[in-house]
Amino acid sequence: MVGGPAPLTGGDDATGQSEPVPVPPEASAARPGWDRRRHPPVTPAEATAEMLEAGYEPIESYPGRASVAWSCRCTTCGAARRVKLSEARAGQRCHHVRNVPLLPPPPRP
């Protein structure tokens, strides 16, 4: 795409032409394409609670972004791992959990 992506449109006007949707300057200045309503900032306490729920105990402070690896310890096997909050949210678990075979389905009556 030469010249960048096409602007978003807000619908057709009376001439059949599309009008660009205005983007507030504060939204595009910080990070183009980033929508804080879809990705609100996470506090360290919220991030820690999410990691504990996923089975990881943080052993260092929250790095401030879900996309940055964070030193944690598995609450089941005790293995030290570097896990991103985004990976834990997506369901990534410790190797001991991923290597456990799935249970066979129950027999049909």
Side-chain angles (χ1 to χ4, degrees):
M1 224 185 285
V2 178
L8 297 174
T9 58
D12 295 335
D13 63 9
T15 64
Q17 299 294 319
S18 297
E19 298 176 15
V21 174
V23 176
E26 64 275 2
S28 60
R31 205 159 163 196
W34 185 253
D35 184 358
R36 287 211 174 262
R37 292 169 294 183
R38 287 186 52 217
H39 304 280
V42 178
T43 66
E46 292 170 333
T48 300
E50 285 189 54
M51 290 301 272
L52 287 169
E53 186 177 319
Y56 297 109
E57 179 184 0
I59 54 178
E60 68 179 3
S61 59
Y62 176 55
R65 295 181 129 182
S67 60
V68 176
W70 192 4
S71 294
C72 299
R73 187 169 310 283
C74 175
T75 57
T76 304
C77 71
R81 305 248 353 258
R82 297 218 13 107
V83 182
K84 297 176 185 176
L85 178 58
S86 59
E87 294 170 342
R89 286 175 172 170
Q92 179 177 323
R93 298 298 177 254
C94 186
H95 293 289
H96 82 274
V97 175
R98 288 187 278 169
N99 293 332
V100 173
L102 296 174
L103 295 174
R108 292 186 174 196

